[in-house]
Amino acid sequence: MTSFDFAAAIQARPSDADLPIALGRFSYRESPTQRGAVIPDPAWAGTHLVQVNLTQFPDFPTSSGRRVQHLTMHRQVAPVFIATMQLAQQRGLLKTLHEYNGCYVARHMGWTPGRPLSVHSWAAAVDFDAATNGYGVPFGRMQINKDFVRLMEECGWTWGGRWTSSYADGMHFQWSDPLPGTVVPTWQDAMAKTATPLKPVSPTPIKRRVFVNGQPVGVGRTVTDGVAVLLSKDGSAWLQPADGHEAAVAATGAVDGNSTRVTLLDQADVWVPFSGRAIYRGLMVNLNPTTYDLHVRPATAEERASSGSWSNLPHVLIGLQ
Ligand SMILES: [Zn+2]
């Protein structure tokens, strides 16, 4: 059990745009030795940053093979970070991580002078498992443990792994509201909505169903109107353009897992997570947010006229890598 008040912390969490105001503006100068790095006003750093003792989390991952004794974090963010790591430790999720890759780094986004400062400059973001979840690695190839990701999101952290295409940043968690235009999972901020900590995060008791043109389909590949719908045994669904060689036969195997994930191959050939309801290559794709049932059918003329095509949606993102 934790006594930390996640609801209050999430209530006070800044939006991405308000972050400099909420966590404190500071003056800085460009680093003369490292391109893209900045040197903040030491007075600001002295009053706004604190040390978090990491030895209280026995399974906290190492950095370059060495145990890390402490990290520097914004004083307003450190309490929720500690409470989140306590839960991750208790649930055996910290030991699923392979490496800690940093928190406080005063620098421009993407180490590019002229761009805004990264959230790491406020010591309000933390990176894990960079080797297999690097900047731009698509969702489908991110290796970071998804139960750990889910716990972070339940505790109010925004995960960069939900940012699309070239902005994807699977190693990165930051203390801000989710960015506008990004996918928000149903469990985001769940700790603020429950009086007691949630039960262990997996498995969920949901067995999702997938319908193509109103007909339930089983595990395997179903082709409809030029789109292949793949339903995996674990329950995850994958949509991509059909290559023209598949037979349009209904798949029949039974789902035995609880995955509720839906992933689409976008116009840039990148696998990205999907939620909600949108048109994809002329098909209306609708993911029920409660049951996770997925419906795929041709979009009507009105739907085509009134809603933006998913594949044409701008990747509305403020890159905060
Ligand atoms: Zn980061």
Side-chain angles (χ1 to χ4, degrees):
M1 288 287 285
T2 173
S3 58
F4 183 78
D5 189 347
F6 279 97
I10 289 168
Q11 177 77 32
R13 183 185 60 195
S15 74
D16 176 63
D18 290 341
L19 200 130
I21 299 162
L23 299 185
R25 287 188 190 282
F26 53 85
S27 57
Y28 61 88
R29 61 191 174 87
E30 303 295 324
S31 166
T33 54
Q34 188 173 13
R35 183 181 155 79
V38 302
I39 300 171
D41 173 5
W44 180 89
T47 52
H48 289 74
L49 304 179
V50 295
Q51 300 292 312
V52 174
N53 173 11
L54 296 175
T55 61
Q56 62 188 306
F57 312 119
D59 296 333
F60 197 86
T62 56
S63 175
S64 303
R66 312 169 85 117
R67 267 195 73 72
V68 190
Q69 301 296 310
H70 62 262
L71 60 75
T72 302
M73 191 167 255
H74 195 285
R75 65 187 315 143
Q76 286 167 243
V77 181
V80 72
F81 178 74
I82 291 168
T84 305
M85 290 301 106
Q86 283 171 345
L87 286 175
Q89 175 70 44
Q90 286 163 16
R91 296 182 187 179
L93 294 172
L94 274 183
K95 61 172 175 269
T96 69
L97 300 175
H98 302 288
E99 192 169 34
Y100 160 69
N101 301 98
C103 173
Y104 178 50
V105 189
R107 61 171 175 84
H108 295 280
M109 292 176 188
W111 296 94
T112 308
R115 292 189 67 195
L117 294 185
S118 159
V119 174
H120 284 287
S121 304
W122 279 268
V126 60
D127 294 336
F128 293 109
D129 288 5
T132 51
N133 305 274
Y135 192 55
V137 169
F139 185 84
R141 293 214 307 269
M142 292 171 192
Q143 306 276 303
I144 192 165
N145 183 281
K146 297 303 190 297
D147 287 335
F148 174 77
V149 169
R150 176 168 173 157
L151 176 67
M152 292 291 283
E153 291 177 324
E154 286 177 351
C155 290
W157 296 81
T158 284
W159 180 40
R162 299 199 184 282
W163 302 343
T164 50
S165 292
S166 57
Y167 293 101
D169 196 0
M171 72 177 111
H172 178 95
F173 300 87
Q174 68 179 43
W175 188 251
S176 78
D177 296 342
L179 305 193
T182 56
V183 174
V184 177
T186 51
W187 53 77
Q188 178 77 45
D189 301 349
M191 291 295 286
K193 298 162 191 159
T194 52
T196 53
L198 299 179
K199 293 191 282 290
V201 292
S202 64
T204 48
I206 291 170
K207 283 270 195 292
R208 78 114 56 82
R209 293 170 302 168
V210 173
F211 297 86
V212 174
N213 300 322
Q215 298 297 314
V217 300
V219 168
R221 171 188 291 257
T222 306
V223 176
T224 182
D225 293 299
V227 170
V229 180
L230 296 98
L231 177 58
S232 299
K233 222 170 160 48
D234 69 358
S236 62
W238 307 75
L239 273 66
Q240 66 182 119
D243 63 19
H245 300 295
E246 305 92 339
V249 292
T252 53
V255 169
D256 65 7
N258 296 308
S259 175
T260 55
R261 242 199 282 171
V262 175
T263 312
L264 310 187
L265 193 65
D266 76 3
Q267 74 275 29
D269 256 6
V270 173
W271 288 102
V272 295
F274 174 82
S275 69
R277 182 173 184 278
I279 295 175
Y280 174 69
R281 295 179 175 270
L283 297 176
M284 174 55 75
V285 181
N286 190 355
L287 177 62
N288 184 304
T290 306
T291 64
Y292 297 96
D293 285 352
L294 180 71
H295 289 263
V296 180
R297 60 164 171 78
T300 64
E302 295 92 73
E303 286 168 341
R304 286 171 197 250
S306 65
S307 64
S309 164
W310 180 85
S311 60
N312 293 332
L313 279 183
H315 292 149
V316 187
L317 285 173
I318 313 156
L320 288 172
Q321 64 277 21

